[in-house]
Amino acid sequence: MANRRPVAGVDLHLDLDPAASRRGGLERALREAIRAGRLTPGARLPATRRLAVELGLARNTVAAAYDQLVAEGYLTARRGAGTQVAPLPLAEPPAPAAPPLRPGPRHDLTPGSPDVSAFPTTAWLRATRRALTAAPASVHGYGDPRGRVELRTALAQYLGRTRGVRASPERIVVTSGYVQALALLASVLDGPVAMEDPGLPFHRDVVTRAGRPVVPLPVDERGATTPADVAAAVVTPAHQYPTGVPLHPTRRHALTTWARETGGLLVEDDYDGEFRYDRQPLGAVQGTAPDHVAYAGSASKTLGPGVRLGWLVLPPRWVDPVVDAKLHADHHTEVIGQLALADLIGTHAYDRHVRGCRLRYRRRRDLLVRRLADLGVPAHGVSAGLHALVEHPDEAAVLARAAAHGLAVSGLREHWHDPDPDPDTAARQGVVVGYATPAEHAYRAALDALTLTLTAGGPAPR
């Protein structure tokens, strides 16, 4: 059997054949590592003394092996630079090149994303430094599947103060974003799940992949209607996606009454509840029925989806099943980000950041609405959130023109449970415009591309 030995200083193992001489075995192992590409051109080898100690060889043996491979052209040796792998072509044919990445759009107005260039890097670094300085070493070990108590405590206070959520740390589960929160809930439910129609198709996929049938929950100008014969209903009360309508008070009452009377679970997706522009944000539905509503939120729209932090505030009877599902999904969400977010919330830096984003996105919303008004195009659902809906009777033509102008927007038709409705139903067609997505310097150019898209011939927008 070959002796597998780690080489100090580089991430490489050498197979030394015990049947070969020590020098010959080392030469062969290094030569094969170079030919196979495990030692790449320019890689620096350990000093002879260090490698000799690591492999249990005489230093002269290692030096002689190096000299031989230098003579053969596999290695180079220069004073002050040490011994390095020479720039040789690999003996093995190179692996096929990966397909080139598709270039992104020149102008990105796809919905569902914030301006990630506005991430509060300085505040996050300070929060991380403070949190790690104060944290015990145990934070780097396995922890509570519900998440760090520091973050759950901070969230209970923050959500109660800003969203009217009735929460205690014991009823909060920290997740790796909203998608995991939805998947965890779907995994513990027993029966069909009603989801808004129209709604985000990816979220429907999350539920169906968990083995739960999805039932359309019609949405009109008052928001989601009341479901029937389902285990749960998922709604976006603050700002419905993609229509943008808020859930009417009578619908709120009807949904919580349904949950109380049937035992069904009402899932409140509060994905952009912080961003309301024309009056104070609507309070969470959960605050009126905390024993029947699972409240789901995340930092994806306030900080950025790359943070991968979300949370569930659960009715008491759902805590244990969801915690068990979380334990078996990934044990717990990463800890350092949890501590940093808890610090941001505790020092009110998170509030300041959200207020700054709200002002920035409101200015963008106002500019978008003015641009569309100049074209005679109404923008729907713009009282809150990060997107606007523009209805159009020929969605396919608009999307084709958008692509020609290097503009990314989202089509409305894909959001319906039935993506191929009656083509004469114009209200079921249009584009969803995400005005938060571009960096600040790129926003006006993106609006210029949108203007060209909406005026370049074809049927008039509605």
Side-chain angles (χ1 to χ4, degrees), residues 185-193 204 206-214 231:
L185 288 171
S187 72
V188 300
L189 290 167
D190 185 16
V193 177
R204 295 197 293 269
V206 170
V207 173
T208 56
R209 281 175 176 266
R212 303 292 173 258
V214 170

Side-chain angles (χ1 to χ4, degrees), residues 4-92:
R4 187 170 289 274
R5 302 273 191 159
V7 175
V10 296
D11 188 12
L12 176 74
H13 283 78
L14 294 177
D15 290 323
L16 301 183
D17 186 353
S21 66
R22 293 190 171 188
R23 173 181 162 180
L26 178 58
E27 290 175 7
R28 182 181 303 166
L30 287 171
R31 196 180 290 114
E32 290 176 354
I34 294 170
R35 287 173 174 170
R38 292 188 291 118
L39 272 176
T40 58
R44 187 168 181 174
L45 271 63
T48 55
R49 185 189 304 276
R50 188 174 180 185
L51 185 59
V53 171
E54 190 71 33
L55 299 180
L57 301 175
R59 183 183 179 188
N60 288 342
T61 300
V62 176
Y66 277 12
D67 290 343
Q68 179 62 31
L69 292 178
V70 168
E72 294 177 8
Y74 285 97
L75 301 177
T76 62
R78 297 194 308 274
R79 184 179 298 276
T83 304
Q84 297 178 326
V85 177
L88 290 174
L90 298 179
E92 296 292 329

Side-chain angles (χ1 to χ4, degrees), residues 112-128:
S113 178
D115 176 6
V116 294
S117 70
F119 183 84
T121 302
T122 300
W124 186 265
L125 288 172
R126 290 172 179 166
T128 302

Side-chain angles (χ1 to χ4, degrees), residues 108-109 113-118 277 357-371 382 385-386 388 433-444 446-447:
D108 192 357
L109 291 178
S113 178
D115 176 6
V116 294
S117 70
Y277 309 119
C357 289
R358 189 182 299 128
L359 290 173
R360 181 184 305 109
Y361 296 148
R362 179 172 182 166
R363 288 194 295 267
R364 294 192 185 192
R365 187 279 310 258
D366 292 347
L367 182 57
L368 171 65
V369 171
R370 288 197 300 270
R371 288 284 194 100
V382 294
L386 306 179
V433 179
Y435 52 83
T437 307
E440 196 71 27
H441 71 274
Y443 184 56
R444 289 181 181 271
L447 290 186

Side-chain angles (χ1 to χ4, degrees), residues 51-428:
L51 185 59
V53 171
E54 190 71 33
L55 299 180
L57 301 175
R59 183 183 179 188
N60 288 342
T61 300
V62 176
Y66 277 12
D67 290 343
Q68 179 62 31
L69 292 178
V70 168
E72 294 177 8
Y74 285 97
L75 301 177
T76 62
R78 297 194 308 274
R79 184 179 298 276
T83 304
Q84 297 178 326
V85 177
L88 290 174
L90 298 179
E92 296 292 329
L101 294 176
R102 295 180 61 185
R106 294 196 304 275
H107 311 290
D108 192 357
L109 291 178
T110 51
S113 178
D115 176 6
V116 294
S117 70
F119 183 84
T121 302
T122 300
W124 186 265
L125 288 172
R126 290 172 179 166
T128 302
R129 187 178 299 111
R130 285 192 298 264
L132 286 177
T133 300
S138 60
V139 302
H140 305 296
Y142 292 108
D144 191 331
R146 293 174 299 177
R148 291 295 304 182
V149 68
E150 296 93 337
L151 179 55
R152 290 187 285 116
T153 300
L155 284 171
Q157 297 170 355
Y158 174 79
L159 296 174
R161 172 168 54 84
T162 64
R163 305 296 299 123
V165 172
R166 294 163 62 183
S168 64
E170 293 73 25
R171 289 170 56 176
I172 295 177
V173 175
V174 178
T175 65
S176 299
Y178 173 74
V179 168
Q180 187 186 50
L182 182 61
L184 292 175
L185 288 171
S187 72
V188 300
L189 290 167
D190 185 16
V193 177
M195 301 188 74
E196 292 175 330
D197 188 21
L200 194 65
F202 180 70
H203 289 173
R204 295 197 293 269
D205 293 342
V206 170
V207 173
T208 56
R209 281 175 176 266
R212 303 292 173 258
V214 170
V215 176
L217 184 63
V219 172
D220 59 23
E221 68 279 359
R222 292 190 168 195
T225 54
T226 303
D229 301 324
V230 294
V234 183
V235 295
T236 51
H239 187 236
Q240 201 275 334
Y241 184 86
T243 67
V245 298
L247 189 63
H248 192 273
T250 59
R251 295 284 175 83
R252 287 177 165 234
H253 179 72
L255 283 167
T256 54
T257 299
W258 166 82
R260 288 190 180 98
E261 292 180 349
T262 66
L265 180 66
L266 186 61
V267 181
E268 179 175 12
D269 175 5
D270 198 31
Y271 76 102
D272 61 2
E274 296 92 345
F275 300 120
R276 189 166 187 91
Y277 309 119
D278 299 328
R279 57 184 171 88
Q280 287 294 317
L282 299 173
V285 173
Q286 189 268 0
T288 66
D291 291 341
H292 303 277
V293 179
Y295 174 92
S298 79
S300 294
K301 303 301 182 288
T302 53
L303 294 175
V307 174
R308 305 316 302 145
L309 284 174
W311 43 85
L312 283 168
V313 181
L314 295 163
R317 69 188 182 98
W318 291 100
V319 173
D320 287 345
V322 172
V323 170
D324 183 69
K326 173 66 174 175
L327 174 67
H328 289 89
D330 62 359
H331 205 297
H332 61 76
T333 299
E334 69 88 17
V335 168
I336 307 305
Q338 293 188 57
L339 296 176
L341 180 55
D343 182 275
L344 284 180
I345 294 173
T347 60
H348 301 295
Y350 188 69
D351 289 75
R352 292 190 292 272
H353 173 71
V354 171
R355 286 197 300 270
C357 289
R358 189 182 299 128
L359 290 173
R360 181 184 305 109
Y361 296 148
R362 179 172 182 166
R363 288 194 295 267
R364 294 192 185 192
R365 187 279 310 258
D366 292 347
L367 182 57
L368 171 65
V369 171
R370 288 197 300 270
R371 288 284 194 100
L372 293 176
D374 290 342
L375 302 177
V377 178
H380 301 282
V382 294
S383 62
L386 306 179
H387 74 273
L389 173 61
V390 178
E391 294 180 352
H392 196 285
D394 193 350
E395 177 183 313
V398 174
L399 293 178
R401 294 199 298 267
H405 291 296
L407 172 67
V409 291
S410 179
L412 176 60
R413 289 182 67 166
E414 69 182 52
H415 292 80
W416 297 94
H417 288 240
D418 177 6
D420 295 310
D422 181 351
D424 295 329
T425 308
R428 295 175 65 94

